[in-house]
Amino acid sequence: MISRSLSGLVSLILVTALIFIGTAMLPGDTASALLGQNATPAALEALRQDLRLDDPLYLRYFGWFWDVLHGDLGVSLASGRPVSEVLLPRLQNSMLLALVASLFLLPVAIGGGIAAAIWKDSWFDRALGFTSMLFLAMPAFLVGYILIYALSVRMGWFPSMSVAPLMGGVGPWVKVLALPVLALVIIGQAHTMKLTRTAILSVLSTDYILMAEVKGISRRRIILLHALPNALSPILSISILTVAYLIVDVVVVEIVFSYPGLGKLMVDSVAYRDLTVVQACGLFFALIFVAMNFLADFLAMLANPRQRVPARGAV
């Protein structure tokens, strides 16, 4: 686990460097974008010096990274407020969306994978396989627009834009979260369902499962009582990684539904050239993704004691 922690830390540092370089390479002049076309040359030069835009890129990155290590994310260039104040409510909204989507997605996907393994090669298994491939081939924004057209424009059940405040009882929560959550469930369930089915079927090919089949134990009982506990380690990893990838899909879904989350804030900040907010958003997304990958490895190790002991002869 120490080596995995170190690799995660290195990955996080590399991602922050790429984010910083990417924001620095955005076309146009940051000072001109912030002050407008009518800004005087003196004002532009003063802002460039204040933002240290004339410094070498590596010095700007190390200065920013040093401030981040001390808990200072900087000040929003667009609003003048501390970046932490701008990010916190948006981060809470994104985490709420991802959490609610996970509560629906994981039972559906894992249950579907288990059912597909129980009724392998049946019409049900083939139907799940077809829908999984269909949803895997569909980009997130297309799923969102289809839901808007079907459930908002045609049926009128939900608003097309999830911009209502999350307060005032259950009703507003349902209206705000319904379509984004449904989009995330549709996007994420296919991959998780297929991997769950594959994990269980791989356990079913082992000798002790074949022996149980010879004894006449029903396939459903074999899967639920014997195969599923032994497939728990990969299923846990799949579930955690699914939640991690939801964080990526949240960015697209928030844009489609105008949901006031971290992903929409990041995209809007790119348009406004609010570089400090963009860098902080990228940092949080990278941190969440690396942390979820580490949690997947940790839970897999707990579920499978063989992973805690290094292989014989390993250095």
Side-chain angles (χ1 to χ4, degrees):
M1 291 302 295
I2 295 177
S3 62
R4 294 176 183 176
S5 302
L6 291 176
S7 64
L9 181 60
V10 172
S11 299
L12 183 61
I13 294 174
L14 291 176
V15 168
T16 59
L18 290 175
I19 293 170
F20 195 90
I21 295 171
T23 55
M25 294 177 63
L26 287 174
D29 179 53
T30 301
S32 299
L34 292 173
L35 296 181
Q37 297 180 351
N38 297 325
T40 62
L44 292 174
E45 183 61 27
L47 182 58
R48 291 191 187 98
Q49 291 181 1
D50 185 50
L51 299 179
R52 301 176 63 183
L53 295 177
D54 295 329
D55 291 348
L57 184 60
Y58 71 92
L59 289 180
R60 289 159 53 194
Y61 169 72
F62 284 122
W64 172 79
F65 190 72
W66 179 258
D67 291 338
V68 169
L69 290 178
H70 289 79
D72 182 11
L73 296 176
V75 177
S76 169
L77 303 180
S79 65
R81 298 167 54 197
V83 172
S84 56
E85 293 183 5
V86 178
L87 257 65
L88 184 58
R90 297 298 192 98
L91 178 63
Q92 291 174 342
N93 289 344
S94 293
M95 292 298 100
L96 174 64
L97 177 59
L99 175 62
V100 175
S102 301
L103 292 178
F104 286 95
L105 187 154
L106 294 179
V108 169
I110 295 175
I114 294 173
I118 292 176
W119 293 294
K120 178 187 175 183
D121 296 330
S122 65
W123 68 266
F124 179 78
D125 183 27
R126 294 190 181 94
L128 284 182
F130 174 78
T131 55
S132 297
M133 292 300 296
L134 179 63
F135 290 138
L136 282 173
M138 295 176 65
F141 70 87
L142 179 59
V143 174
Y145 287 134
I146 290 175
L147 291 177
I148 290 175
Y149 177 76
L151 301 181
S152 179
V153 176
R154 299 292 297 179
M155 305 299 295
W157 291 350
F158 303 102
S160 60
M161 300 178 66
S162 301
V163 295
L166 301 181
M167 59 183 65
V170 178
W173 283 63
V174 173
K175 290 183 179 180
V176 169
L177 295 174
L179 291 185
V181 165
L182 183 57
L184 289 173
V185 170
I186 292 174
I187 295 166
Q189 57 82 29
H191 188 66
T192 306
M193 189 180 298
K194 285 181 65 67
L195 291 178
T196 300
R197 176 184 180 276
T198 302
I200 293 179
L201 290 179
S202 64
V203 175
L204 289 177
S205 62
T206 56
D207 293 338
Y208 75 95
I209 294 294
L210 297 176
M211 182 62 68
E213 292 178 345
V214 170
K215 292 181 179 179
I217 302 176
S218 66
R219 184 176 181 83
R220 181 182 304 180
R221 184 179 179 86
I222 289 174
I223 290 178
L224 296 179
L225 298 183
H226 300 282
L228 185 57
N230 288 279
L232 185 60
S233 177
I235 290 176
L236 280 175
S237 299
I238 293 166
S239 301
I240 299 298
L241 291 178
T242 298
V243 177
Y245 284 113
L246 275 183
I247 304 300
V248 179
D249 293 326
V250 156
V251 177
V252 179
V253 169
E254 287 180 357
I255 297 301
V256 171
F257 295 100
S258 296
Y259 182 82
L262 196 61
K264 189 174 187 303
L265 175 64
M266 184 176 183
V267 175
D268 291 343
S269 299
V270 171
Y272 295 129
R273 298 303 296 269
D274 197 347
L275 302 186
T276 53
V277 174
V278 175
Q279 292 159 359
C281 290
L283 173 65
F284 271 94
F285 279 123
L287 182 62
I288 293 170
F289 194 81
V290 170
M292 296 301 289
N293 276 270
F294 178 81
L295 180 61
D297 291 337
F298 180 72
L299 292 179
M301 183 189 68
L302 292 180
N304 188 358
R306 289 176 295 180
Q307 295 186 15
R308 306 179 201 173
V309 182
R312 183 173 297 179
V315 179

